[in-house]
Amino acid sequence: MITASAASFDRAAPTWDDAFDAYQRLLGRNADATTVLEARHGVTPIHLRALIVLASRGPLSVSHLGVAVGLSSGAVTPLVDRLEQYGHAERKPMPADRRSVVVTALPAGLDIAAHLRDCFAAVFARASGDDLSRVVETLVALDNALETEVTTW
């Protein structure tokens, strides 16, 4: 658990080390927050991630859910089994191809995802004040940059 307060830095001349340190603190705090929510709802990190994906994207094929949460085809089936066992999601035949199935979040799973969204909405509101667009633009820019840069590592 991250307990140290944010390090101070010179706002007029921040360094790359300041940015890296702030990013690492953010990752640690996010891990702490996620751990609290996982314990509250009795789910694992990947279970929580799957519920967030299903709540935001709607029903997905098992393979698309696996890609979205970073699991292999062999690992996503047990995840979907657990989601069903907990009453958080269900498999349904795909309307266009009854041999395939889609995974759909159930109300209990949607409630967990909504609770997570509400918790982070409070964090974003505190961080952004009246300028939520600045936070969103920064997060999107970081995501895009990371997606691009990681291919060069």
Side-chain angles (χ1 to χ4, degrees), residues 7-136:
S8 61
F9 65 95
D10 181 356
R11 289 187 181 275
T15 67
W16 292 117
D17 284 341
D18 294 331
F20 185 72
D21 290 347
Y23 180 68
Q24 292 303 309
R25 282 192 307 278
L26 176 63
L27 291 177
R29 299 238 188 258
N30 183 65
D32 292 347
T34 302
T35 298
V36 168
L37 292 168
E38 291 160 1
R40 177 179 179 155
H41 295 289
V43 298
T44 64
I46 197 68
H47 189 132
L48 187 59
R49 176 74 181 128
L51 291 175
I52 294 164
V53 167
L54 291 170
S56 65
R57 298 186 191 176
L60 292 173
S61 69
V62 174
S63 61
H64 284 121
L65 178 60
V67 168
V69 298
L71 291 179
S72 68
S73 59
V76 73
T77 299
L79 169 64
V80 174
D81 290 343
R82 284 191 307 277
L83 289 168
E84 284 189 308
Q85 179 184 10
Y86 285 40
H88 295 157
E90 67 180 352
R91 290 179 179 98
K92 290 184 176 181
M94 189 175 292
D97 179 3
R98 295 192 56 84
R99 294 171 296 162
S100 299
V101 296
V102 293
V103 182
T104 304
L106 293 173
L110 292 172
D111 288 348
I112 292 170
H115 181 243
L116 179 71
R117 265 193 319 276
D118 292 346
C119 290
F120 277 90
V123 171
F124 295 146
R126 179 181 290 237
S128 67
D130 292 334
D131 194 7
L132 182 59
S133 64
R134 180 178 51 91
V135 173
V136 173

